[in-house]
Amino acid sequence: MASSQSFAVVAAARLFALLALGAPALWLQQSDSVAAIAALGLLWVYQGLTATRRELRLSVSPITEGAAVGVICALGMQSSVTLLAALVVPPLYATAIAGTQVMVRTVAVQLISVIALALMWAQELTPDQSVGIFVWTVTGIGLSLIASYTFADHRSADPVAPYRDAQQHLRQLLDLAGGLSSGLDVGAIGGELLSQVSDRIPNRGLVLYVPHGETLTPVASTVELDAVDAAACAVLAGEVRALDVRGDAHIEVDQGFAFRVSDQAIVAGIRPAAADPGATPALDRVGRELSDSAVKLDAALLFAEFRTAATADERNRLAREMHDGVAQDIASLGYIIDALAARPADEQQAKALAMLRERVSKVVAEVRQSVMNLRTSIGENESLGAAISGVARHLSESSGIPIRVRLDEQPARLRPEVEAELFRITQEAINNAVKHARATAIDVRCQVYPPEAVITVTDDGVGLQTARSDSHGLKIMRERARLIGAELVVRDNASRGLTVAVSVKTPRHTARAPAGSNSTEEKR
């Protein structure tokens, strides 16, 4: 955002330009020039007045001002070439408020306006006019470049500018959302893309990968490949990514192949043993033919990334408000109770105050646990199982209940938004077992075979109880599962206790059968 000093410099430049142009025109009584200068004066006076209330955004943009000045100069230079000196001001204004890039665009628009209108009006440019346009345009550019150092010092960061940009982009996203024919579900769009690949390339199986930090994450597949084929696909996809080529990057090794379909996505697969690679379309051509589906997939991935970031920000905001607000207020009540308990009126009051203090301490502990839950998240270099183990260890230490975690994970990662929702569901299930189940042991099993995963939380407590009217935990868990297309099952165990299981399966029904394939509400 430009400072007041920058606007003052531009205002001074406009004033001196009007004086330099207006004085000779009035002295020589050049009526045509006076009219053009008056038009410039009105434009610049308006710009100067609106600059005093910059928060209202009433001033016209530098590019618009450049176009207007170009039109005025084109009409006025027929009587006086000196009017072209006004071409110096718009580039200076553009540099002051937006930088040199906008200045270049302003100069281009200004030149187009003055030359095009002059040719339309007078059918030709005289040598004096051509020289004047060139001299004053170059002068404006030179002065703007020299002044850019001063403007750069005066230009201060607008603390709310990112929020204004966010408002604009979010409004555009809402407007565009109604025009999306297939939604923004990564799994569904990925399955559709793999189905199109199957129509073009005979295969025993296909896997779609997207980047997740330093690794690649499978987001969809057509069949469940055996361990050897799955490992081969992962290696081929990694080699394509290492090529660091945008578009047309592909690798073929024996029956295996992989190719890039967008900046984000890579498809890897295995051909049938009897397939002839020369009889199928070239991989780079197939990638180009899938450009429309690739655009949909990239949009869905960006939306998922945005949703994850927005959710994390909101959780951190709630954690801060709880820590600085409710937690501090309840803790203050504890201090008051301590002061009263120091001088009780009788033994009965002392017991009542002790019981009240114990309950307040328990509420404070629960609020702090909630703050910890809100702030805990999966790091980019931390696996889902490691994050769940960390939460289980903390809850076990604070509650005294043994929590055993068994991990069965592959090095590949799930999509970030899937990991985040699975982590929150598991966290809520463990919390419920600790708080409400009266359990003596809790068992957590985490199986991750991207793009699939199964997590179960089992306890030996009292089992499923009638829901309280103010309980929303299970409902929220179901909503989280629905967001990522997962299945949530809550059931009583045969002996005692409860099991909560959440599973993510690959939506393989979205892809057609590959050619040549040899594969057949309650709350405790």
Side-chain angles (χ1 to χ4, degrees), residues 21 116 283 298 419 436 450-451 464 487:
L21 296 173
L283 296 180
D298 284 349
E419 285 189 344
H436 309 296
L464 198 62
E487 180 184 4

Side-chain angles (χ1 to χ4, degrees), residues 84-162:
L84 293 171
L87 298 175
V88 173
V89 176
L92 197 65
Y93 173 46
T95 305
I97 71 166
T100 54
Q101 291 184 349
V102 176
M103 182 268 288
V104 172
R105 293 197 291 270
T106 300
V107 170
V109 170
Q110 185 173 254
L111 278 174
I112 292 172
S113 299
V114 67
I115 295 174
L117 191 59
L119 291 174
M120 292 173 58
W121 184 263
Q123 305 300 319
E124 65 175 353
L125 285 175
T126 66
D128 289 344
Q129 292 170 350
S130 300
V131 171
I133 292 172
F134 173 79
V135 168
W136 291 114
T137 298
V138 173
T139 301
I141 294 174
L143 290 176
S144 299
L145 292 176
I146 293 171
S148 63
Y149 293 99
T150 302
F151 292 143
D153 293 337
H154 290 166
R155 195 178 296 119
S156 57
D158 182 1
V160 297

Side-chain angles (χ1 to χ4, degrees), residues 1 54-57 157-171:
M1 182 178 179
R54 294 194 293 277
E55 71 279 2
L56 299 180
R57 294 178 171 268
D158 182 1
V160 297
Y163 293 92
R164 292 196 183 101
D165 292 340
Q167 285 180 349
Q168 179 182 358
H169 294 311
L170 288 173
R171 289 193 185 102

Side-chain angles (χ1 to χ4, degrees), residues 74-88:
L75 298 176
M77 70 180 181
Q78 306 301 325
S79 58
S80 176
V81 179
T82 58
L83 191 66
L84 293 171
L87 298 175
V88 173

